[in-house]
Amino acid sequence: MAARLAVVALLTLTVLCYSAPSRASLDHQPPFQPGFPLDPAGAGRPYLGLPFGATLAPVGVANSETMIVFATPDQVNNQLVCSGHVYAYLGDGSLRWGHGLTLTQAPGMMPSVADINGDGTNDIVAGYGEFSQACMFGGGVKAFDGSTGETLWDFSTYYTGTVSGVYSAPAIGDVNADGQPEVVFGSWNGCIYMLSHAGQPLWNLAQPDSRCTGQGYFTGQMVDSSPALADLDGDGKLEIVIGTYHTATTGYLNVHNAAGALIGQWPMDAPVTSSPAIADLDDDGVFEIVVGAGKSVNNAGHYVQALHFDPAENLVINRLKPMWTGNAAGYVPTSPAIGDLDGDGTAEVVVIAPNGDAGTTGSSVYAWHGNNGALLFSRQLCDMAGNQYVVKASPVIADVVGDEKPEIVLAEGSEVVILNADGTFYTDQSTNACEGQPSTTTLTYWTGSSLNYIPAIGALAQSDTSTIIAVGAVSTPTVTNTARLFAWGGHNSGYAPWPQFHHNPAHTGYLDNVPPLNPSGFAVSPLTSTLTDRQVITVTWSSAGSDIGSGLAGYAVVWDHASDTIPKPTSLVVSITDTITVAPGNGTWYVHLRSVDHEGNGARTTLHFGPFLLFGQHVYLSRLTAEQP
């Protein structure tokens, strides 16, 4: 049964030539999900127009309810103040913990969600500290217990006289392979930190500057970028990939190991505010890194860079090697979204970039083939009334139509805009205002106020039969600084390779698209191509399948009368240790088996067994041992 999905996005937009939508256009608004839109009590719009976002995650292992987690500064009497709250709403629009979770300063980009204390319930980790003059100093990261909302720990990044806020969204993963999750983030004080699950700093590095107080890695300049985590060198530990400033006009992409040491670095001609993404771009079983060069600086940084990591190189500066460069019409502040748009089995890279340093003609969406950097499409953005905006919030990729082709979802102006996989407009463009490009539907997702949240798509309730889109928006029609949360119903779920910022609730920025390996060492009974009155078919294997990324989930299995059927990863899945029994009936039968990982990837090949010439009525699938090879 399909499940409802949710999208959340936060972004600041500049109206260039505003036109109001027609009443007829607004009549094609999909129905709101019950309980939405809603106005979080005391929630204000973010400072500085920086792109924020919300995070979608299950409440916990035993509770599959989805919570929508986001943070805003507080407002008092319609005035923003130097404090904030984290909100955790459920799919029915109810708030989990009363008014929310208190931050001592305005929040950073967005909270991350993972079970950091091991109790089976997902916890919330949020950065805080602002860059505005009124809230200049102080900053840190705070963790909240997912069961109670109580503070687990509060780590301060403050150093005397420095701007120390944490805008970087924390990435959560078992970086050092100790069986416990770590929390990694950057700060405006120029430091990169890795904390234990209990909030204790794990790095004690000798640094040329004391502002990290022996607890982090000093980059030399502020860090806006959010880290990505993946095992790049195959040593079983995760590497940390993050963008930094170097000077006001240059930047670096850094790779750090679990101990904090710099093990790779790539120079760029603009500060790297884009958050890197990691995936197997060329289908070779090895992960690559892709990042935008992102800040408006002297006509620089108008590109996306894809890189290989080569740990065999002796020099740190030589370990990142260029794979391809995708050129854009402006700087690239947004973070890449990755997914297979054209169905060819390899991933594409999608970003949004303003047109020129000033973005005076709005923004465009770009999609490149991951294997060679060839441009799949570029599309000028505008809303249904033809308005164009500077878009700094990242896109997401998910099938919200149910046609097994992913759509690109983004927030622009007062509207959620959806593009088809080929770059054409799905949402209403009846005015043909954007490059004279018509749309495939008359649907509109109009909020009536500027949107400041990166979209996110995910299941809100397991019993639902459709998908939804939820969007966090800023400004009600009557109050300037109020946040609002939207959700629309009536969609279908499907392939969702990059459904929210940095791919998942833990914001690891890593897409596991490397297929798992099939099992081996097979024996079947009865013999194939032999008429038998046996009542069962037994297929056994001595070595289980395996997966280097998210781990093996099980096996997709189909039995039918065709010799070459390829099971979809969503087919009946046999767990690693289970045995199943089915009743195929008399006739000629084939059994087809394919490994599936936890990310939903199927093995590149399918194992076919048969023909079995049966009078019996059962097929057993089992394995000889539950141990991994």
Side-chain angles (χ1 to χ4, degrees):
M1 182 176 291
R4 295 191 192 184
L5 303 185
V7 172
V8 186
L10 180 54
L11 98 101
T12 289
L13 308 160
T14 301
V15 178
L16 299 178
C17 294
Y18 181 78
S19 299
S22 67
R23 180 66 259 172
S25 295
L26 296 182
D27 287 342
H28 292 281
Q29 177 100 322
F32 285 118
Q33 172 71 7
F36 295 87
L38 55 85
D39 300 309
R45 67 182 300 163
Y47 296 102
L48 288 182
L50 295 170
F52 280 49
T55 303
L56 302 184
V59 170
V61 175
N63 186 344
S64 60
E65 278 189 291
T66 295
M67 55 182 175
I68 306 170
V69 181
F70 61 101
T72 72
D74 292 341
Q75 70 160 12
V76 178
N77 297 325
N78 201 25
Q79 298 295 317
L80 298 175
V81 295
C82 298
S83 62
H85 277 78
V86 178
Y87 299 90
Y89 281 90
L90 297 177
D92 62 1
S94 61
L95 184 62
R96 288 197 70 198
W97 294 296
H99 181 60
L101 312 175
T102 302
L103 297 171
T104 57
Q105 283 201 323
M109 185 176 183
M110 66 185 68
S112 300
V113 180
D115 182 7
I116 62 172
N117 60 5
D119 66 354
T121 299
N122 277 324
D123 308 301
I124 299 172
V125 181
Y128 62 87
E130 259 298 346
F131 194 67
S132 67
Q133 189 65 39
C135 309
M136 183 69 78
F137 300 113
V141 170
K142 193 171 185 177
F144 302 95
D145 184 88
S147 298
T148 65
E150 296 178 356
T151 298
L152 292 173
W153 46 261
D154 190 348
F155 177 81
S156 173
T157 57
Y158 177 66
Y159 182 75
T160 304
T162 64
V163 178
S164 303
V166 177
Y167 173 68
S168 172
I172 305 174
D174 186 3
V175 179
N176 57 15
D178 66 349
Q180 300 284 351
E182 284 77 47
V183 179
V184 185
F185 57 92
S187 169
W188 277 330
N189 65 12
C191 302
I192 301 169
Y193 299 91
M194 186 169 86
L195 309 181
S196 72
H197 69 283
Q200 298 300 310
L202 296 177
W203 294 344
N204 184 12
L205 306 171
Q207 297 289 298
D209 190 287
S210 61
R211 73 186 65 187
C212 301
T213 60
Q215 299 177 331
Y217 179 94
F218 181 60
T219 67
Q221 289 284 341
M222 64 190 296
V223 180
D224 269 347
S225 177
S226 300
L229 308 177
D231 185 1
L232 299 178
D233 57 10
D235 67 350
K237 298 180 181 180
L238 303 181
E239 277 66 54
I240 299 161
V241 185
I242 190 169
T244 73
Y245 284 63
H246 176 55
T247 67
T249 58
T250 61
Y252 284 114
L253 182 72
N254 282 7
V255 180
H256 296 264
N257 64 16
L262 182 69
I263 61 172
Q265 191 171 64
W266 181 259
M268 302 183 84
D269 65 356
V272 183
T273 59
S274 170
S275 299
I278 299 173
D280 179 11
L281 297 180
D282 54 5
D283 207 29
D284 64 352
V286 178
F287 301 119
E288 285 81 35
I289 304 164
V290 61
V291 69
K295 194 168 180 64
S296 178
V297 182
N298 300 325
N299 200 36
H302 293 193
Y303 59 91
V304 166
Q305 185 71 65
L307 299 154
H308 292 287
F309 178 72
D310 183 359
E313 287 282 357
N314 290 326
L315 297 178
V316 168
I317 201 68
N318 291 337
R319 290 176 184 161
L320 286 170
K321 301 180 181 298
M323 180 182 178
W324 53 261
T325 302
N327 295 315
Y331 68 102
V332 184
T334 62
S335 302
I338 302 177
D340 183 5
L341 296 179
D342 57 7
D344 66 352
T346 59
E348 276 72 48
V349 175
V350 179
V351 301
I352 304 172
N355 297 326
D357 286 336
T360 53
T361 56
S363 301
S364 296
V365 176
Y366 299 85
W368 293 277
H369 292 285
N371 57 351
N372 57 18
L375 185 67
L376 177 64
F377 65 81
S378 64
R379 177 66 59 212
Q380 167 73 48
L381 286 174
C382 65
D383 66 17
M384 61 180 171
N387 302 302
Q388 298 175 343
Y389 305 87
V390 175
V391 178
K392 295 181 181 179
S394 306
V396 299
I397 303 174
D399 176 16
V400 296
V401 179
D403 59 359
E404 299 187 2
K405 296 178 181 178
E407 285 74 48
I408 299 165
V409 184
L410 58 105
E412 187 197 21
S414 297
E415 183 182 357
V416 177
V417 174
I418 302 176
L419 300 181
N420 297 307
D422 62 359
T424 57
F425 283 93
Y426 174 80
T427 45
D428 181 45
Q429 281 294 319
S430 57
T431 61
N432 292 342
C434 261
E435 301 179 2
Q437 174 66 51
S439 57
T440 55
T441 74
T442 58
L443 293 175
T444 60
Y445 298 81
W446 189 266
T447 65
S449 55
S450 60
L451 300 182
N452 279 23
Y453 276 83
I454 298 169
I457 300 175
L460 287 190
Q462 296 299 316
S463 61
D464 292 331
T465 58
S466 63
T467 66
I468 71 161
I469 296 178
V471 145
V474 175
S475 298
T476 68
T478 57
V479 182
T480 302
N481 291 324
T482 300
R484 174 167 278 194
L485 191 66
F486 291 82
W488 293 275
H491 302 81
N492 295 308
S493 60
Y495 171 59
W498 205 269
Q500 58 185 302
F501 174 77
H502 246 194
H503 178 60
N504 54 29
H507 295 146
T508 60
Y510 155 62
L511 173 65
D512 173 18
N513 61 336
V514 177
L517 299 177
N518 279 323
S520 60
F522 287 93
V524 300
S525 177
L527 298 176
T528 60
S529 302
T530 302
L531 194 65
T532 178
D533 60 359
R534 295 277 299 274
Q535 294 186 348
V536 299
I537 295 172
T538 302
V539 180
T540 62
W541 51 95
S542 56
S543 296
S546 61
D547 182 72
I548 65 170
S550 58
L552 186 70
Y555 308 99
V557 178
V558 170
W559 53 94
D560 59 19
H561 301 296
S563 62
D564 57 355
T565 300
I566 299 176
K568 294 181 179 180
T570 54
S571 302
L572 174 65
V573 175
V574 183
S575 70
I576 296 173
T577 58
D578 286 350
T579 299
I580 68 165
T581 302
V582 299
N586 294 331
T588 301
W589 292 94
Y590 293 83
V591 175
H592 317 279
L593 183 146
R594 186 182 182 200
S595 290
V596 178
D597 67 17
H598 285 288
E599 195 69 28
N601 299 303
R604 297 183 193 277
T605 59
T606 296
L607 302 168
H608 306 285
F609 304 96
F612 298 100
L613 310 181
L614 292 184
F615 289 109
Q617 300 186 33
H618 296 83
V619 176
Y620 284 91
L621 292 171
S622 61
R623 63 189 303 276
L624 297 181
T625 176
E627 298 179 354
Q628 297 289 330

